[in-house]
């Protein structure tokens, strides 16, 4: 699988950030948190701030990630671009995006947007539980350990 060079975190929705930073320090993997200036993170975090605007964070990520990087994002567009660059991509739920599931996810997002415009209810996010957190962090750790080779995931 080769060692992950950089872990990029899409800082738009970020709950487990201190855990992720700690794991990166432990495995000596660089981490960059990208967020717009509407978000506040503690000083000691490696944050790159972009001007707030709907797509700025996403565009920054898409333009700066490299092949074999590790990307954590809830945004399907960013995920899709990251997969094209052969990155390992994880959703905050702990689900890995793959070349196989991304099309379905993009299609579902399109459908949900359509339903929202027609004012139909779509399922809301449940509050994340301790189990969710543990599952997510174990997925992150698996990648950082390098014990998951990228080959298995496409």
């Amino acid at each position: 699988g080769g060692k992950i060079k950089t872990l990029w975190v899409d800082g738009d929705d970020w709950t487990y950030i201190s855990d992720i930073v700690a794991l990166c320090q432990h495995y000596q993997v660089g981490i960059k948190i990208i967020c717009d200036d509407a978000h506040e993170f503690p000083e000691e975090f490696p944050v790159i701030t972009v001007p707030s605007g709907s797509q700025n964070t996403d565009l920054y990520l898409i333009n700066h990630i490299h092949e074999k990087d590790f990307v954590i994002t809830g945004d399907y567009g960013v995920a899709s671009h990251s997969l094209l660059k052969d990155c390992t991509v994880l959703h905050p739920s702990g689900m890995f995006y793959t070349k196989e599931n991304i099309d379905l996810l993009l299609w579902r997002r399109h459908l949900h947007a359509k339903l929202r415009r027609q004012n139909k209810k779509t399922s809301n996010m449940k509050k994340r539980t301790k189990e969710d957190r543990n599952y997510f962090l174990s997925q992150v750790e698996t990648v950082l350990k390098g014990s998951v080779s990228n080959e298995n995931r496409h």
Side-chain angles (χ1 to χ4, degrees):
K3 189 133 167 58
I4 301 283
K5 285 195 279 297
T6 307
L7 165 53
W8 297 87
V9 178
D10 184 340
D12 276 350
D13 143 45
W14 219 259
T15 18
Y16 314 123
I17 202 74
S18 47
D19 299 301
I20 298 170
V21 171
L23 281 172
C24 283
Q25 286 167 344
H26 180 75
Y27 290 104
Q28 299 177 330
V29 171
I31 175 171
K32 293 185 173 140
I33 302 160
I34 314 301
C35 66
D36 66 33
D37 47 26
H39 293 74
E40 291 285 316
F41 281 105
E43 303 264 303
E44 66 272 16
F45 288 170
V47 175
I48 296 168
T49 307
V50 295
S52 52
S54 59
Q55 300 293 311
N56 286 345
T57 320
D58 301 349
L59 290 172
Y60 186 95
L61 272 163
I62 289 164
N63 290 323
H64 290 80
I65 53 178
H66 297 290
E67 201 182 354
K68 303 278 187 264
D69 282 346
F70 180 17
V71 180
I72 298 177
T73 181
D75 184 278
Y76 297 164
V78 171
S80 172
H81 281 279
S82 304
L83 286 172
L84 291 174
K85 289 196 177 180
D86 211 22
C87 296
T88 300
V89 197
L90 185 65
H91 185 273
S93 66
M95 168 196 73
F96 284 107
Y97 296 94
T98 63
K99 293 189 167 87
E100 288 75 43
N101 70 14
I102 190 68
D103 290 337
L104 177 65
L105 292 167
L106 289 165
W107 178 80
R108 275 195 359 218
R109 178 181 70 168
H110 170 74
L111 199 68
H112 277 248
K114 225 155 97 170
L115 290 172
R116 268 200 305 276
R117 282 196 297 275
Q118 299 163 2
N119 263 335
K120 307 243 191 315
K121 277 300 274 176
T122 56
S123 64
N124 277 334
M125 280 293 289
K126 296 189 301 295
K127 197 160 162 34
R128 294 189 188 134
T129 64
K130 201 173 165 190
E131 285 72 31
D132 295 337
R133 174 176 173 267
N134 293 343
Y135 177 68
F136 170 78
L137 292 172
S138 73
Q139 297 283 65
V140 173
E141 189 162 15
T142 311
V143 176
L144 295 178
K145 268 186 195 148
S147 56
V148 178
S149 75
N150 272 352
E151 289 72 56
N152 310 344
R153 216 168 299 118
H154 300 311

